């Protein structure tokens, strides 16, 4: 006999129906669920035959992402992402995912990212020059768009390196990704067209035998240890689309909110500035010095706590499970929101306050381990986490000591919880030269 919905002991939830998705209405519903039913609740949807469980307790989340992760596959919403990126490492499951992750992982090791960091540095040095003109003229900058362009340029250089100037000559075929944050069917069609440009580049690089250190070369040379087989051009294309889309919006979003928060918290900005100036004196700082900036790490983590770019992710239960004493039937939808977990007052005191020192010391580490998941957790944890910190550290370390950015509008900026957590509109900031105390790095 199979269990019916009435036999099951499901978590508590409202009688009315809700369809949870990555949208503002769902954030409102989940906020209400947490307030009314606690950290584990259940809603039914008119168009989904299986229940949706909303998890807001770290132990339950860990069970899905780490302990029993093999029972869960990527859930609703990922089909939209799949239309955009193809069947790459973020959207795939099972054997295909396992193989791709093993093949791609070497590109994300600290050694590999350290070698890629020179390209990130070059771009930041260019920004130092171009922002000088803005500061000379006292102009304002749409930081949201600027960070989108930054994130895109960095990931494109890390993927294509020597081939990039040729790919973007004339009308830059990638530019729309940074210019327009909408991710609708028109974007899918444009990304499909872009696929042709990328595919031609993959074929040409494979034929040339040239292998500069970049993600493309690493993918072309990656071999399955058991079979010796490499990735097909089609597989590489899907992985590159994945890296371009997933790799630029997330770090760009974090830097966007970070500039905003620094402008509203001058005491934090001063401390960060002080750290950069004393730890990285002069132009010749080392990569270890850059990545050793402790206060920088806290500022970025606190930004990610308040504004996790991936604010919601979903899973689907393959087989039955039990969570927190309740049944999880096969097919159940699971929703996990880093945004709401990071503001859960059971784990974060005065959660709305921007306070990088929450992450200081052993207590901070314990809190981080328990209830901080901007990069997810377990086997499907973000592969690009270290890369992201390198590009964010590098950007702030080079730009902050030279330029002071202040929000033109002092009113708080609203969030726009779509696929990624964006600011409701572009954040406009005035750019000014910062008086130098020490030579900037
Ligand atoms: C602040 C920046 C970033 C954040 C907050 C972030 C967040 C995430 C999250 C939450 C996931 C897991 C989604 C899920 O489990 O459903 C993920 C996966 C992934 N991210 Fe990131 N990401 C960031 C930057 C990057 C960058 C820069 C890259 C590439 C250079 C990247 C590459 C990936 C890849 C390849 C995966 C798939 C991992 C897998 O499923 O095996 N991410 N990211």
């Amino acid at each position: 006999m199979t269990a019916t919905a009435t036999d099951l002991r499901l978590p508590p939830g409202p009688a009315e129906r809700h369809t949870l998705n990555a949208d503002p209405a769902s954030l409102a519903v989940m906020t209400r669920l947490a307030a009314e039913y606690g950290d584990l609740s259940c809603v039914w949807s008119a168009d989904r035959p299986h229940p949706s469980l909303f998890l807001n307790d770290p132990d339950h989340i860990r069970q899905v992402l780490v302990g029993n992760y093999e029972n869960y596959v990527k859930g609703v919403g990922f089909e939209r992402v799949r239309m955009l990126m193809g069947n790459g490492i973020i959207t795939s499951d099972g054997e295909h995912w396992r193989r791709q992750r093993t093949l791609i992982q070497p590109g994300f090791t600290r050694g590999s990212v350290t070698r890629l960091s020179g390209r990130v540095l070059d771009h930041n040095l260019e920004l130092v020059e171009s922002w000088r003109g803005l500061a000379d003229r006292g102009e304002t900058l749409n930081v949201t768009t600027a960070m989108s362009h930054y994130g895109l340029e960095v990931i494109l250089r890390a993927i294509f390196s020597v081939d990039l100037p040729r790919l973007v000559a004339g009308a830059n075929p990638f530019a729309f990704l940074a210019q327009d944050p909408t991710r609708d069917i028109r974007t899918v069609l444009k990304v499909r067209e872009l696929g042709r440009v990328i595919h031609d580049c993959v074929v040409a690089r494979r034929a040339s035998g040239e292998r500069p250190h970049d993600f493309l070369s690493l993918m072309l040379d990656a071999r399955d240890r058991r079979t010796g087989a490499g990735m097909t051009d089609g597989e590489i294309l899907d992985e590159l689309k994945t890296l371009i889309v997933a790799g630029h919006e997330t770090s760009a979003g974090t830097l966007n909110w970070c500039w905003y928060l620094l402008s509203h918290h001058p005491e934090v900005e001063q401390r960060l500035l002080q750290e950069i100036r004393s730890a990285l004196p002069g132009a010749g700082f080392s990569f270890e010095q850059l990545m050793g900036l402790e206060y920088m790490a806290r500022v970025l983590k606190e930004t990610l706590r308040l504004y996790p770019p991936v604010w919601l992710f979903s899973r689907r239960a393959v087989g039955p499970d039990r969570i927190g004493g309740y049944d999880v039937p096969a097919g159940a939808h699971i929703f996990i929101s880093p945004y709401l977990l990071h503001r859960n007052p059971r784990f974060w005191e005065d959660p709305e306050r921007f306070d990088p020192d929450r992450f200081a010391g052993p207590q901070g580490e314990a809190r981080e381990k328990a209830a901080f998941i901007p990069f997810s957790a377990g086997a499907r944890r973000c592969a690009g986490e270290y890369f992201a910190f390198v590009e964010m550290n590098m950007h702030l370390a080079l730009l902050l000591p030279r330029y002071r950015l202040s929000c033109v509008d002092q009113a708080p900026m609203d969030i726009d919880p779509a696929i990624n957590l964006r600011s409701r509109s572009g954040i406009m900031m005035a750019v000014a030269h910062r008086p130098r105390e020490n030579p900037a790095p």
Side-chain angles (χ1 to χ4, degrees):
M1 240 175 61
T2 52
T4 65
T6 43
D7 297 331
L8 297 168
R9 187 164 177 265
L10 293 170
E16 73 271 11
R17 310 215 151 206
H18 295 287
T19 303
L20 299 181
N21 279 314
D23 58 30
S26 300
L27 175 58
V29 170
M30 286 182 281
T31 306
R32 202 156 54 75
L33 288 177
E36 288 177 19
Y37 301 96
D39 289 337
L40 179 56
S41 52
C42 174
V43 279
W44 289 88
S45 146
D47 50 5
R48 289 178 191 151
H50 295 92
S52 294
L53 271 57
F54 169 53
L55 276 50
N56 199 29
D57 177 285
D59 288 339
H60 303 158
I61 293 174
R62 212 154 292 278
Q63 180 171 334
V64 169
L65 298 180
V66 186
N68 196 15
Y69 83 95
E70 302 223 13
N71 188 46
Y72 295 91
V73 291
K74 294 277 172 138
V76 291
F78 280 99
E79 61 281 5
R80 268 203 286 169
V81 184
R82 195 170 291 119
M83 278 166 70
L84 204 61
M85 304 175 177
N87 195 30
I89 180 173
I90 286 190
T91 52
S92 57
D93 282 298
E95 252 330 290
H96 183 71
W97 164 75
R98 206 178 303 280
R99 175 175 178 270
Q100 295 305 95
R101 176 96 193 199
T102 316
L103 289 175
I104 287 169
Q105 192 65 37
F108 290 100
T109 58
R110 288 187 178 221
S112 168
V113 172
T114 308
R115 285 180 70 195
L116 288 170
S117 68
R119 306 191 193 286
V120 184
L121 174 65
D122 288 347
H123 183 46
N124 279 296
L125 292 172
E126 289 161 16
L127 284 186
V128 165
E129 286 311 308
S130 61
W131 285 22
R132 180 167 298 142
L134 296 176
D136 286 346
R137 296 187 295 274
E139 282 181 24
T140 54
L141 176 69
N142 183 332
V143 168
T144 311
T145 311
M147 291 306 100
S148 255
H149 281 284
Y150 171 70
L152 183 61
E153 184 68 26
V154 163
I155 192 69
L156 290 178
R157 288 185 188 204
I159 291 174
F160 299 110
S161 71
V162 295
D163 291 328
L164 189 63
R166 185 173 48 77
L167 292 177
V168 299
N172 179 347
F174 298 94
F176 73 94
L177 288 166
Q179 276 153 4
D180 181 1
T182 346
R183 296 290 176 256
D184 57 13
I185 188 70
R186 274 167 309 173
T187 324
V188 171
L189 296 176
K190 283 188 198 165
V191 171
R192 212 161 275 171
E193 264 172 52
L194 192 56
R196 276 193 276 275
V197 177
I198 301 173
H199 183 263
D200 290 349
C201 181
V202 174
V203 173
R205 174 80 72 84
R206 197 190 282 283
S208 76
E210 279 176 33
R211 295 293 186 267
H213 182 73
D214 58 22
F215 282 124
L216 175 52
S217 291
L218 287 157
M219 287 191 197
L220 283 166
D221 287 344
R223 293 288 174 272
D224 187 312
R225 260 202 230 141
R226 277 179 306 132
T227 64
M231 285 161 71
T232 64
D233 289 349
E235 284 168 345
I236 294 181
L237 173 63
D238 281 358
E239 297 305 349
L240 294 183
K241 283 194 289 186
T242 299
L243 288 195
I244 293 169
V245 179
H248 95 269
E249 292 188 334
T250 41
S251 344
T254 311
L255 283 172
N256 178 43
W257 287 113
C258 191
W259 280 115
Y260 164 83
L261 287 165
L262 290 176
S263 143
H264 283 271
H265 298 272
E267 67 299 343
V268 175
E269 187 182 47
Q270 272 312 312
R271 249 179 95 182
L272 179 56
L273 200 53
Q274 217 48 54
E275 181 186 58
I276 297 171
R277 282 182 169 151
S278 59
L280 311 180
F285 64 87
S286 73
F287 185 74
E288 287 68 33
Q289 283 172 315
L290 175 76
M291 296 313 288
L293 297 174
E294 277 180 21
Y295 194 63
M296 171 84 84
R298 277 183 233 164
V299 169
L300 286 169
K301 283 179 192 169
E302 180 65 346
T303 306
L304 284 160
R305 182 186 71 81
L306 284 170
Y307 300 106
V310 186
W311 70 276
L312 180 72
F313 42 85
S314 66
R315 294 291 188 267
R316 197 87 203 269
V318 177
D321 195 4
R322 275 182 76 75
I323 295 183
Y326 292 101
D327 287 309
V328 180
H333 304 279
I334 305 289
F335 290 88
I336 295 167
S337 169
Y339 180 85
L340 290 171
L341 180 68
H342 294 173
R343 289 168 189 250
N344 187 331
R346 274 177 61 210
F347 308 100
W348 303 97
E349 200 188 308
D350 194 3
E352 304 295 322
R353 190 162 47 90
F354 178 62
D355 175 12
D357 283 333
R358 294 174 193 279
F359 288 92
Q363 258 191 329
E365 271 171 38
R367 214 174 285 129
E368 180 180 341
K369 231 172 159 185
F372 182 66
I373 52 163
F375 296 98
S376 185
R380 305 299 302 254
R381 188 182 176 114
C382 177
E385 179 174 344
Y386 188 64
F387 184 92
F389 276 108
V390 168
E391 66 175 314
M392 296 190 295
N393 277 28
M394 192 83 91
H395 178 74
L396 292 172
L398 281 155
L399 277 303
L400 191 76
R402 291 176 169 85
Y403 304 107
R404 198 164 78 83
L405 268 57
S406 11
C407 281
V408 173
D409 187 349
Q410 285 306 310
M413 174 54 74
D414 279 340
I415 56 166
D416 177 18
I419 294 183
N420 280 322
L421 186 73
R422 301 188 302 234
S423 48
R424 164 90 44 221
S425 57
I427 301 179
M428 302 304 296
M429 299 184 88
V431 184
H433 288 287
R434 199 184 283 284
R436 287 197 179 186
E437 286 171 19
N438 289 324

